[in-house]
Amino acid sequence: MTRRTLIAANWKMHGLRGDLGFIGELDARLGAARPDAGILICPPATLLAEAASACAAHGFLAGGQDCAVADSGAFTGDLSAGMLRDAGASHVIVGHSERRAGHGETSVLVKAKAEAALRAGLTPVICIGETLAERDAGRAEAVTGEQLAASWPARGVAKDIVVAYEPVWAIGTGRTASLADIAAMHAFIRAAAPGGGGAALRILYGGSVKPDNAAGILALDDVDGALVGGASLQAASFAAVISAAQSRRHGLRFADN
Ligand code: PEP
């Protein structure tokens, strides 16, 4: 089963219209070294339409960082998945740990958002991952397994869904999980994919992915790409992470970090 690599940028609450030159610069930096991978940029919603046009012109994808459950209605401040699609998105991140922790989002809500994404024709990027306390208590698999099952959209098919394994303690901290832990968690998630379609499921790793650790992470068999926060804010560092996806094509293997 071939799963196309996906390297996704999560800009979080960073970026103004004047920063969108990033997209052309990224293309120029990748040049001929561009790997065969989907390259997805998830800017703040204010930039989505403009970013999506620029992304399309440069062969990149654009995505949202969150969506509402409802398709439309009296939900002041919310954005529906259909609106994101109308603005040019192909994907939407749901259940990022910053929303689970900072906005009290439960897996029940994340599941409803993933269903809304699929209804609108978007690919949901469902984020799951344990806290450090949960890992230290030996509960990493139990917690991520519960999140995966409870966040999975009803009638969802693995090929239409992306899962991002993001250990909470590795996001924005400069700490990454060891290659052995990443490999074990990704294999666990693939085996646990609801409906048994794990072979078709793209599983991204997220958590302080940077130019100097990306090649080792992306070379792991069950790692199908990366969700990148901090290192996606500069075209130079994001291009370096994307270029590291060449390690998948060449089948390189790296010692544990
Ligand atoms: C993220 O935002 O999902 C993320 C993984 O951030 P960072 O790369 O900064 O840890």
Side-chain angles (χ1 to χ4, degrees):
M1 170 71 63
T2 308
R3 299 179 298 268
R4 189 161 193 242
T5 304
L6 179 66
I7 310 292
N10 176 16
W11 283 6
K12 312 193 187 193
M13 199 169 71
H14 297 288
L16 300 172
R17 293 177 67 208
D19 297 315
L20 289 176
F22 172 103
I23 293 166
E25 186 189 339
L26 181 65
D27 191 3
R29 284 183 178 274
L30 290 171
R34 194 155 161 175
D36 178 20
I39 297 167
L40 170 67
I41 297 175
C42 300
T46 48
L47 300 182
L48 182 58
E50 202 171 336
S53 307
C55 281
H58 290 280
F60 303 141
L61 303 165
Q65 298 179 10
D66 180 40
C67 68
V69 170
D71 297 335
S72 63
F75 301 102
T76 303
D78 286 351
L79 296 170
S80 72
M83 290 170 178
L84 301 179
R85 166 114 187 186
D86 185 54
S90 55
H91 292 66
V92 61
I93 298 168
V94 292
H96 192 282
S97 66
E98 288 156 10
R99 296 205 62 85
R100 288 181 187 261
H103 297 264
E105 293 198 0
T106 62
S107 291
V108 171
L109 182 66
V110 174
K111 170 183 171 159
K113 290 186 172 192
E115 289 169 352
L118 289 171
R119 270 199 312 277
L122 297 181
T123 300
V125 180
I126 303 172
C127 300
I128 57 175
E130 80 286 357
T131 64
L132 190 55
E134 289 162 343
R135 171 157 287 270
D136 287 346
R139 302 195 59 241
E141 286 192 358
V143 169
T144 52
E146 274 166 30
Q147 288 178 343
L148 180 67
S151 306
W152 192 268
R155 294 178 295 284
V157 177
K159 70 172 178 43
D160 300 332
I161 293 167
V162 174
V163 166
Y165 169 60
E166 300 205 301
V168 177
W169 48 274
I171 297 177
T173 59
R175 295 181 58 183
T176 44
S178 71
L179 293 182
D181 285 343
I182 295 171
M185 290 303 294
H186 279 239
F188 166 75
I189 291 165
R190 193 171 306 290
L201 179 65
R202 282 194 290 176
I203 308 173
L204 313 184
Y205 173 77
S208 297
V209 175
K210 300 183 286 284
D212 63 357
N213 62 20
I217 294 168
L218 292 170
L220 297 170
D221 280 341
D222 281 312
V223 174
D224 302 310
L227 180 54
V228 187
S232 75
L233 295 176
Q234 305 296 329
S237 51
F238 193 48
V241 169
I242 293 166
S243 300
Q246 299 284 7
S247 65
R248 296 181 60 68
R249 200 179 64 188
H250 298 306
L252 300 180
R253 290 292 174 269
F254 292 77
D256 208 341
N257 57 3

